[in-house]
Amino acid sequence: RQDVLVLTPWLAPIVWEGTFSRDILNAQYLQKNLVTGVVTFAVQKYWFFIEGFMRSANKYFLAGHQVNFYLFTDNPEKISHLQMAPENHLFVIPVQNDSRWQDIFTSRMDIISSYIHSQFQHEVDYLYSMDIDVQLLAHIGVEIIDALVATISSWQVTPQHGNRAYEARPGSQAATPEGQGDFHYTASFYGGSVAEVYKLTRACSEGLMEDRENGLEAWWHHESHLNRYLLQHRPTRLLSPEYYWDTEL
């Protein structure tokens, strides 16, 4: 690919369609006998998206490889039986609802880090967080596997919208000094090794709690904290906006 940026200034690859051989990567991945986990949340009205997400993810996410799907929901009784591929497993985990939609998103970091510590680290090698209100339209394969993986926001590559603003208030734990951001990453799709995702979610959770104690709320909530963390701990692999495109654009 000559039309897109395929390497960051810190020499991390940026994965676009046409920049990798999935057959070669699949062969390497199978030799390691790895298990990958996917965390997603369906609370309040979002339970409506469960079937669409799960059917498409079961078909397209690391097809042919073992994947554990961890679905957190406040309505586990509303989940109908979903036919999963033989190598995939679905685990439904009850979670409490929050009164404000902002709290639903900000509590995710704490929930994920807590479950990594108590459960996920013993069950999977890599873990990815994805939003429930999407459908996968094509294969997402092992080209996404690396220690710390972030997805470039589709808003960043759309000229009429420009970059989403980083959190600018210096009092916030998510504050990013002007001119220091590399890319704007979406909180809708990120992941990596269990150890690295634990450090990321733990740090973001602590930052969110400290902001709350100080009466602050970052402009993009947990996404602002994720971007601050990834500025200080740069990802080892970036996924292009192709992997999580906002249809509004």
Side-chain angles (χ1 to χ4, degrees):
R1 292 287 294 267
Q2 300 295 321
D3 57 324
V4 291
L5 183 67
V6 296
L7 200 65
T8 70
W10 61 95
L11 304 183
I14 305 174
V15 182
W16 297 82
E17 188 66 35
T19 62
F20 57 88
S21 169
R22 188 166 285 144
D23 290 341
I24 294 174
L25 295 175
N26 277 334
Q28 294 173 342
Y29 184 87
L30 284 170
Q31 291 177 358
K32 299 176 182 178
N33 195 30
L34 299 171
V35 181
T36 299
V38 174
V39 173
T40 191
F41 290 78
V43 295
Q44 289 190 7
K45 64 181 181 180
Y46 286 91
W47 66 265
F48 176 79
F49 296 101
I50 291 173
E51 185 169 353
F53 173 83
M54 288 305 309
R55 289 191 185 280
S56 63
N58 181 57
K59 179 179 180 181
Y60 288 123
F61 190 88
L62 267 65
H65 303 292
Q66 187 173 340
V67 180
N68 288 356
F69 291 95
Y70 300 104
L71 172 61
F72 289 89
T73 180
D74 58 342
N75 282 301
E77 67 280 358
K78 290 187 176 181
I79 297 176
S80 59
H81 175 71
L82 296 169
Q83 188 68 37
M84 303 295 291
E87 64 273 11
N88 293 341
H89 298 87
L90 173 62
F91 301 91
V92 179
I93 305 174
V95 66
Q96 287 186 335
N97 192 2
D98 290 292
S99 57
R100 300 190 318 139
W101 68 265
Q102 295 95 332
D103 295 332
I104 294 171
F105 287 98
T106 56
S107 62
R108 288 184 182 185
M109 295 294 191
D110 180 56
I111 293 171
I112 293 173
S113 63
S114 296
Y115 271 85
I116 289 175
H117 183 264
S118 64
Q119 178 181 344
F120 298 160
Q121 66 170 325
H122 307 297
E123 298 176 350
V124 298
D125 302 286
Y126 292 88
L127 187 68
Y128 290 80
S129 175
M130 299 185 72
D131 280 356
I132 193 78
D133 58 341
V134 296
Q135 290 195 37
L136 282 66
L137 303 177
H139 287 285
I140 294 180
V142 297
E143 73 277 358
I144 71 169
I145 299 295
D146 214 320
L148 184 58
V149 181
T151 304
I152 299 172
S153 172
S154 52
W155 288 79
Q156 180 158 3
V157 297
T158 309
Q160 63 265 38
H161 291 90
N163 294 354
R164 285 192 177 189
Y166 293 103
E167 176 57 49
R169 291 170 295 175
S172 172
Q173 295 301 304
T176 299
E178 186 176 356
Q180 289 194 20
D182 299 310
F183 299 89
H184 191 94
Y185 306 109
T186 175
S188 298
F189 186 18
Y190 64 89
S193 70
V194 171
E196 289 298 329
V197 176
Y198 177 76
K199 288 189 284 188
L200 181 154
T201 53
R202 185 78 260 149
C204 290
S205 175
E206 291 172 353
L208 285 157
M209 287 189 289
E210 187 165 341
D211 272 10
R212 182 174 296 178
E213 291 171 359
N214 294 327
L216 292 170
E217 194 165 70
W219 184 251
W220 293 106
H221 312 291
H222 66 310
E223 185 166 283
S224 296
H225 288 267
L226 176 128
N227 274 271
R228 174 61 177 175
Y229 181 88
L230 293 174
L231 175 62
Q232 298 172 314
H233 309 82
R234 286 185 167 94
T236 58
R237 181 172 302 236
L238 280 64
L239 304 181
S240 74
E242 295 170 317
Y243 282 84
Y244 204 95
W245 187 257
D246 188 337
T247 54
E248 290 183 14
L249 307 178

